[in-house]
Amino acid sequence: MRLHWHRSDLRPSDNLALVRGGEEPILPVYVFDPTVLAHAAPPRVAFVRESLRALREWYRERGSDLL
């Protein structure tokens, strides 16, 4: 099993580690740090939340989930 830590790019189609795939199952993780987001403008926070929702749905369609 591979741990895949999503940090900045939340688009699966642009992520080489996900596009290349492989035989191993992926354990996808995103750390939602409230101290960092406390300094972000509300539109940026909304964008990150929506991107995470879409990414989680992408994983669920493939039998996985974003932690």
Side-chain angles (χ1 to χ4, degrees):
M1 180 172 286
R2 291 183 298 143
L3 176 67
H4 186 84
W5 179 17
H6 288 275
R7 292 173 35 176
S8 58
D9 191 356
L10 301 178
R11 297 172 297 186
S13 61
D14 292 343
N15 195 311
L16 289 179
L18 298 178
V19 171
R20 288 182 184 158
E23 301 280 328
E24 298 174 285
I26 296 174
L27 178 61
V29 176
Y30 180 83
V31 178
F32 201 76
D33 187 349
T35 58
V36 172
L37 292 178
H39 302 287
R44 174 69 179 152
V45 174
F47 175 77
V48 170
R49 288 181 185 267
E50 177 56 27
S51 297
L52 288 170
R53 186 206 56 76
L55 183 61
R56 185 173 213 182
E57 183 61 29
W58 185 86
Y59 276 113
R60 286 179 173 178
E61 289 171 357
R62 287 154 182 80
S64 186
D65 205 348
L66 179 64
L67 304 176

